Amino acid sequence: MTNQLDVLKALRQTRHDWLNVMQLIKGNLALKRYDRIEEIIEQVTQQSICESKISEIQATSVVYFLLTYNWFSSKMKLEIDVAGEVFSLEKNEVHLLRLCEEITEKLTNECTIDTENNLLITFLFTEHKCELTFDFQGKLQKKEDWPSFLKKWESNVKLVEMNEHECVLTASFTRS
C-alpha cells in the first residue's frame, strides 16, 4: 500500500509542476512574450533530458533524492546538470547519497531565507570518472565550520570557492 501511495504522491507532484509550467506559458502567451515562452520550453526540455540521464546512473536512492529534493525543501532550489556518457554509479551509491544529503543539508541550514538560494549539481562523466560539482549561489549565514565538515570527507571533497554568496565543492568517483 505504501508503494501505491508513493506513486500517487509522485504523480500529484508531477502534475502540479506541469501545471505551473503551463501557467507560465499561458501568462506569457497573454502578454505576447513569445521569446519567453520559447525560453520556458527550452528550460523544461533541458531539465527533462537531465532527469532522464541521471536516472541511468543505477543508484536508485541517489536519483530519488535528487529528483524529489525540491518537493520537500523550499529554502534552496536544486537543479541537476548531466554531461558526458553516463555510466553506473551503483557501487558508489551509499557514499554518493551520503555526500549529496550532507552537502545539501549543510547548505540548506546555512543559507538565509531572505535570498533566492540555488544549488546546481553537475555530473560530468568522462571515460574514467564522474566528477560532481556542487555550485551554490545565494547567501550563506556562516562559513567558518566548513573546514571541519570537509575533513571528514578526507580528500574526496574539495572546496573550490567560498564566500558569502557562493560555495563551490567538487568530488569525484572513479568508474568501476
Side-chain angles (χ1 to χ4, degrees), residues 123-138:
F123 287 74
L124 175 60
F125 288 88
T126 62
E127 189 176 340
H128 300 291
K129 68 179 180 176
C130 173
E131 185 169 300
L132 271 74
T133 302
F134 297 83
D135 185 353
F136 172 84
Q137 303 287 319

Side-chain angles (χ1 to χ4, degrees), residues 57-142:
I57 67 170
Q58 299 173 359
T60 309
S61 62
V62 176
V63 174
Y64 176 82
F65 175 78
L66 295 173
L67 295 182
T68 62
Y69 180 84
N70 291 325
W71 299 358
F72 306 107
S73 175
S74 60
K75 205 172 171 188
M76 179 176 72
K77 182 180 179 196
L78 179 96
E79 294 180 50
I80 305 163
D81 191 20
V82 182
E85 192 67 38
V86 177
F87 55 79
S88 174
L89 293 173
E90 184 178 17
K91 290 185 180 176
N92 297 300
E93 182 172 5
V94 172
H95 186 69
L96 180 57
L97 177 62
R98 202 173 115 239
L99 178 70
C100 289
E101 286 176 336
E102 289 190 21
I103 288 175
T104 55
E105 181 179 353
K106 182 154 182 64
L107 289 167
T108 300
N109 290 339
E110 295 188 6
C111 69
T112 63
I113 58 172
D114 62 345
T115 306
E116 186 175 316
N117 300 295
N118 296 295
L119 176 62
L120 172 63
I121 302 177
T122 303
F123 287 74
L124 175 60
F125 288 88
T126 62
E127 189 176 340
H128 300 291
K129 68 179 180 176
C130 173
E131 185 169 300
L132 271 74
T133 302
F134 297 83
D135 185 353
F136 172 84
Q137 303 287 319
K139 188 172 181 185
L140 296 171
Q141 298 174 50
K142 56 184 178 177

Side-chain angles (χ1 to χ4, degrees), residues 155-173:
S155 61
N156 193 16
V157 179
K158 293 182 177 38
L159 180 63
V160 177
E161 179 75 34
M162 170 60 87
N163 61 54
E164 184 181 13
H165 298 285
E166 181 177 28
C167 177
V168 180
L169 303 157
T170 60
S172 63
F173 295 88

